[in-house]
Amino acid sequence: MSPPKETHTPPRQIRIGDDWYDFQAAIEAMGGDLVGGGTERAENLRDYIAWVLRRPGSTMPKRPPAEMAEQIRKRGAEIKREAEAKAAARTRTRKGA
């Protein structure tokens, strides 16, 4: 069971770029479950931060095997296309309202 999420700080927005889609694909490839309509990207980032800061109980994050790199890039591109299509649909809906 994961430790409770710390909610005493406001959410932070960071810009990752297209690597964000590949990161999601990598999490999926390693069996990451969907959480709240997305993957466990934020949880994985928090785990990485805890490991870098040498927090008690933290462990080095797992990463997919190198031979999965091409599969991950292809899935990342697919996720990006899906996200762009959703954004375009929202824009069209707003303009038509």
Side-chain angles (χ1 to χ4, degrees):
M1 181 169 179
S2 298
K5 292 183 181 179
E6 294 186 26
T7 58
H8 64 278
T9 60
R12 305 285 194 266
Q13 186 177 49
I14 59 173
R15 302 281 180 211
I16 304 292
D18 288 349
D19 284 346
W20 195 240
Y21 304 110
D22 290 351
F23 184 49
Q24 179 174 340
I27 300 301
E28 288 177 2
M30 293 186 305
D33 295 325
L34 294 178
V35 176
T39 62
E40 300 170 330
R41 295 179 296 192
E43 183 178 340
N44 278 268
L45 288 173
R46 285 190 295 272
D47 289 348
Y48 177 73
I49 291 168
W51 175 75
V52 167
L53 298 175
R54 300 179 183 271
R55 299 285 189 233
S58 64
T59 58
M60 185 178 352
K62 295 178 184 173
R63 63 184 192 174
E67 55 271 7
M68 293 183 78
E70 184 61 28
Q71 171 190 344
I72 287 168
R73 278 190 291 277
K74 286 179 180 177
R75 175 64 182 136
E78 182 180 304
I79 292 168
K80 179 182 178 183
R81 284 190 304 275
E82 291 168 0
E84 289 172 342
K86 284 180 185 177
R90 282 192 302 269
T91 301
R92 283 191 301 272
T93 301
R94 282 189 216 125
K95 287 182 180 179

